[in-house]
Every structure is written in structure tokens, then in C-alpha cells.
Amino acid sequence: MTSISNVSCFNEARRVAIFGGTHGNEMSGITLVNLWIKNGKEIQRKGVETKPFITNPRAVEKCTRYVDTDLNRAFTTENLSAPSGDDLPYEVKRAQQINEIFGPKGSPDAYDVIFDLHNTTSNMGCTLILESSKDHFNLQMMHYIKKAIAPDSCPVLLTEHPLLKYSTSRSVAKHPIGLEVGPQPQGVLRSNIFESMRVVLKHALDFIELFNEGLEFPPCSVDVFRVWDKMDYPRDTNGNIIAMVHPNLQDCDWEPLNPGDPMFQMFDGTTVRYEGVGTVYPTFINEAAYYEKQQAFVTTRRETLVAGAIKKA
């Protein structure tokens, strides 16, 4: 990236990948990617090589989130540089293969953009996931998508956090973008969720084509929800869950949670209230896949990011 007269110049996005099946029971991305592998006309754009790719085929075959370990947390420096061998977890081996095909991560040879398609059991709607507040290319793309699908909502979740490291499969690319669409049960397809994901991908690819053709995008602002903290369920001394997400909070992703608001309902009916400082905006509320991660929901703080003007170099 270079900057000329307050306009950031990026190289054309010529190599784009669309990942489905990073989690093998999230069916919208798996189904779309398999459709596009058979016939990719819908995702092709002038001058762009768009590659649909099933990231975790063994998990997809079993319709399970993963086989040995979470692929979407496996792209650490340690894993990617680990000596190959039969004792490595399947997903670590797969991460190394993906890094070889689409990376290497952090190198000039890495793919320009990776879209990683996910489903959630939470009531998050269509959520774009941004990994860096300084990625003005992605901010501009997300601004374009949000305008294109308006008045429908498309929140942006910013996962940039000094203590929470995700090491996602999409992080191999120069510009990683996650798409989380729900609510949808694991192992299930819902037509509205499927179509919402498809529409967002269409607009994202349209943006890339317009950028590559030389369209300059003026400065813009993007409202985001920055990851703040992870909240676990109340547990007993043996680590067993002893409460549920409170009915006032259930399905209220992106809505304000204020100090004193109900947060959990104990099995005896008593209420546990939020005691944090200031208003937060929960998401991934009661996500089925996060029980094993000891996470009831994520809190976020709202902020506005400013993206500078961009054009192709």
C-alpha cells in the first residue's frame, strides 16, 4: 500500500478465495462453495481469479465442527512452522496445507482477499468480521456492502484485541474477511440465511471488480462493534454450568446491555445481572459451538472508524 495526496493506493485484488467448511457443520458456506466449485460463473468477475475452497473436508464429511481441533484457531506461527508428522492434529496439517496454497501468511505471495463463510446459532443476522481497524481496503468494502444491502442491517464485528488472538483461516490473506450469518442450527440449511450470505458475497465481489477497474472510493466512516470481553456461564466448583442466558438477553445480539440488566437465569430462577462498567453490546449470545470454549457471549463496544480514500496503485 502507498499513499498519494491522502489517497491510499492498493494493488489490484487479482486473487480471491472463498472458504466454506472451516467448520464442517456450518452448512450455508459449505453448500455455496460446493455449488461454485461445480459452476463458478456467479462468482467470477473481470480480471479476478476467484477460487471456492472447502477448508476442512473431513469435518464436512462428518458434519462436525472439527476432527481434532478448531481449524479457525489453528493458524498460529507455531502451528504453521511445526515439523510435519503423523502426530500432528488433522487441522494443524490442514492449516499448513492451506497456508501453502493461499499464503504464506504475511508474505507478498499471499492471496489478496479471503472470504471465510460461517454460520452461527446466535441471532447475529449478517455480520462482517474485520480483523484490523487499519485495513482501509476492507473498511471501504464493508462500507460498500452495508450501503448495498440497506435498509437491511449488516453489523461489523472488529476482532482486534490485544489479549484475544483468533489465528483464523482467513488470516492467511492480505485482506481477511469473515462472514457470520445466523441464526441457523448446526448441520441445517435455512433458505433465508443461505440467500443472505449469497447476496453479501455478490456485493463484496462487485466492490473488488469496481476497485480493479479504477474506481476511486472517497473517505467514509464505518460503525463497528469492537470485541471487548468474553463472558462465561456461572459454574459450580466442579465447573458445571448452573445458569442459562436470561430470556431478556436471549436473541438480543447487538442490543445494549446496561449495568444492572438481567444476564443469566440460575436454575433456581434467580437472576444474575450485568455488573460491568458502562453499556456493552453482546453478540454470539448462547452460540452452541462456544459451550466448549466456556463462553456464553462476547461483549463489544461501539465505535466509528474512518477509512481514507482508496484507489488502485
Side-chain angles (χ1 to χ4, degrees), residues 96-287:
Q96 292 179 349
Q97 294 168 356
I98 291 167
N99 188 55
E100 185 175 339
I101 297 168
F102 297 99
K105 181 176 178 176
S107 79
D109 295 326
Y111 261 57
D112 298 301
V113 180
I114 292 177
F115 298 103
D116 193 16
L117 308 183
H118 289 266
N119 289 123
T120 174
T121 63
S122 301
N123 189 32
M124 292 174 64
C126 267
T127 299
L128 292 162
I129 302 180
L130 176 68
E131 298 204 354
S132 170
S133 60
K134 298 177 178 61
D135 189 338
H136 288 215
F137 181 88
N138 275 0
L139 281 168
Q140 285 281 2
M141 185 191 302
M142 292 176 179
H143 180 257
Y144 178 91
I145 293 169
K146 286 166 72 72
K147 284 182 62 179
I149 70 169
D152 291 337
S153 176
C154 189
V156 174
L157 177 64
L158 174 62
T159 60
E160 189 177 66
H161 192 287
L163 301 178
L164 303 177
K165 302 296 183 183
Y166 292 97
S167 303
T168 59
S169 56
R170 59 187 172 268
S171 66
V172 169
K174 297 182 180 78
H175 302 290
I177 298 173
L179 178 57
E180 194 83 50
V181 190
Q184 180 169 281
Q186 296 171 346
V188 169
L189 267 176
R190 287 185 55 179
S191 59
N192 61 322
I193 303 299
F194 177 89
E195 288 302 327
S196 293
M197 183 174 281
R198 195 174 204 164
V199 166
V200 169
L201 256 292
K202 174 203 175 304
H203 293 305
L205 293 170
D206 288 348
F207 169 88
I208 291 172
E209 183 175 47
L210 290 170
F211 173 81
N212 287 348
E213 288 178 344
L215 181 64
E216 181 176 324
F217 292 86
C220 67
S221 61
V222 181
D223 292 330
V224 303
F225 294 87
R226 182 187 288 270
V227 168
W228 193 254
D229 201 2
K230 295 179 179 181
M231 303 295 293
D232 190 14
Y233 298 90
R235 297 176 184 270
D236 64 19
T237 54
N238 295 319
N240 299 310
I241 292 173
I242 54 174
M244 304 165 284
V245 170
H246 195 278
N248 287 17
L249 179 59
Q250 181 64 52
D251 299 326
C252 294
D253 294 72
W254 310 122
E255 296 183 18
L257 179 67
N258 301 300
D261 286 349
M263 185 169 60
F264 295 110
Q265 182 173 288
M266 304 291 284
F267 294 154
D268 65 6
T270 59
T271 296
V272 176
R273 298 182 181 275
Y274 179 61
E275 296 180 351
V277 178
T279 300
V280 293
Y281 297 83
T283 194
F284 283 112
I285 297 172
N286 208 11
E287 163 60 50

Side-chain angles (χ1 to χ4, degrees), residues 35 53 63 70 75 106 174 199 242 267 308:
L35 283 172
F53 187 79
C63 196
D70 192 337
F75 288 77
K174 297 182 180 78
V199 166
I242 54 174
F267 294 154

